[in-house]
Amino acid sequence: SFCLRTSPRLLCAATQQKNTGQNLEEDQSQSQNEQKVEPSSAEKLLAEEKAKLEEQLKDVTEKYKRALADAENVRQRSQKLVEEAKLYGIQSFCKDLLEVADILEKATESVPKEEIKDENPHLKSLYEGLVMTEMQIQKVFKKHGLLRLNPVGAKFDPYEHEALFHTPVEGQEPGTIALVSKIGYKLHGRTLRPALVGVVKDA
């Protein structure tokens, strides 16, 4: 047969060629595995570039978020300033009108109550006109958020009251207000003019 006629040298060469082919395949396979394990320099550069870009994106995103927060804070502060300007823009004008209200109050207090009768029609009409004017101005004040402070009997509050004197008063608790010398006013909850008061102190 052919197998028997084949010389030992040819068989050895075939075997060697086969082994060589197997070794070549193994070397190629090992080389491919090494390439898989160790990335090329191009892949390393791409990975580094990707990391840099991701870091830059993160930084830009943080700056954008901070810019948005700053813009929102500015908007809120501006809105608050506008609202306060609307509320307290009449503060100076109101303060001037308080003097008028004080004069009206003093005028009505100065009229002797026993003289207000039908026998004195002119005085009675004048007094009633003053009272009506005082009531009307207080309505206007209230409409615009301006309220009186007449704190007799209340606890002394340095944010709303100004103490002119301290005096012992029998039957009243120390620290309370015994006398209001001048009415105070608040504009939308903010003290526009403190009430001038006398405060009870320990005997």
Side-chain angles (χ1 to χ4, degrees):
S1 76
F2 175 78
C3 291
L4 293 175
R5 284 197 299 267
T6 303
S7 67
R9 184 178 293 180
L10 288 175
L11 285 172
C12 182
T15 303
Q16 185 177 3
Q17 185 176 5
K18 183 179 178 183
N19 290 336
T20 304
Q22 288 176 348
N23 290 338
L24 182 61
E25 288 178 359
E26 287 175 359
D27 290 344
Q28 287 177 348
S29 176
Q30 185 177 357
S31 176
Q32 288 176 356
N33 288 336
E34 287 176 356
Q35 287 178 355
K36 287 180 183 177
V37 172
E38 295 184 5
S40 66
S41 59
E43 288 175 339
K44 286 181 180 178
L45 288 173
L46 285 173
E48 290 175 0
E49 190 64 26
K50 179 186 175 186
K52 286 180 183 177
L53 289 173
E54 287 176 346
E55 188 65 29
Q56 289 176 0
L57 178 62
K58 183 180 177 182
D59 185 50
V60 169
T61 303
E62 287 298 320
K63 288 179 179 177
Y64 176 67
K65 287 179 180 178
R66 283 198 297 268
L68 282 180
D70 290 342
E72 179 62 17
N73 288 337
V74 169
R75 188 192 69 80
Q76 289 179 356
R77 282 197 299 269
S78 299
Q79 185 177 356
K80 186 179 179 181
L81 288 173
V82 169
E83 289 173 355
E84 286 187 350
K86 288 178 181 178
L87 286 175
Y88 303 110
I90 59 170
Q91 182 170 301
S92 179
F93 179 65
C94 287
K95 223 168 185 179
D96 292 337
L97 280 180
L98 296 186
E99 301 300 324
V100 178
D102 290 340
I103 292 169
L104 282 171
E105 186 177 3
K106 294 295 182 186
T108 54
E109 288 176 356
S110 66
V111 178
K113 300 299 183 286
E114 64 274 7
E115 296 295 328
I116 304 168
K117 49 190 177 182
D118 294 335
E119 287 80 4
N120 295 321
H122 298 296
L123 182 61
K124 185 179 180 183
S125 296
L126 177 61
Y127 177 79
E128 289 174 351
L130 287 172
V131 170
M132 287 176 64
T133 304
E134 190 180 4
M135 288 173 61
Q136 186 59 34
I137 200 170
Q138 290 300 328
K139 282 182 182 178
V140 173
F141 284 172
K142 189 173 182 180
K143 179 182 176 182
H144 291 281
L146 189 62
L147 299 176
R148 284 161 57 99
L149 291 175
N150 189 10
V152 175
K155 278 282 186 183
F156 177 77
D157 183 348
Y159 293 103
E160 295 184 358
H161 316 134
E162 182 179 337
L164 295 177
F165 58 89
H166 292 76
T167 182
V169 179
E170 190 178 347
Q172 292 195 27
E173 184 182 350
T176 57
I177 295 169
L179 174 71
V180 175
S181 176
K182 194 172 187 178
I183 296 292
Y185 283 89
K186 293 178 80 172
L187 179 61
H188 294 293
R190 180 187 292 179
T191 301
L192 183 63
R193 185 181 79 185
L196 304 182
V197 300
V199 184
V200 179
K201 71 173 183 178
D202 290 320

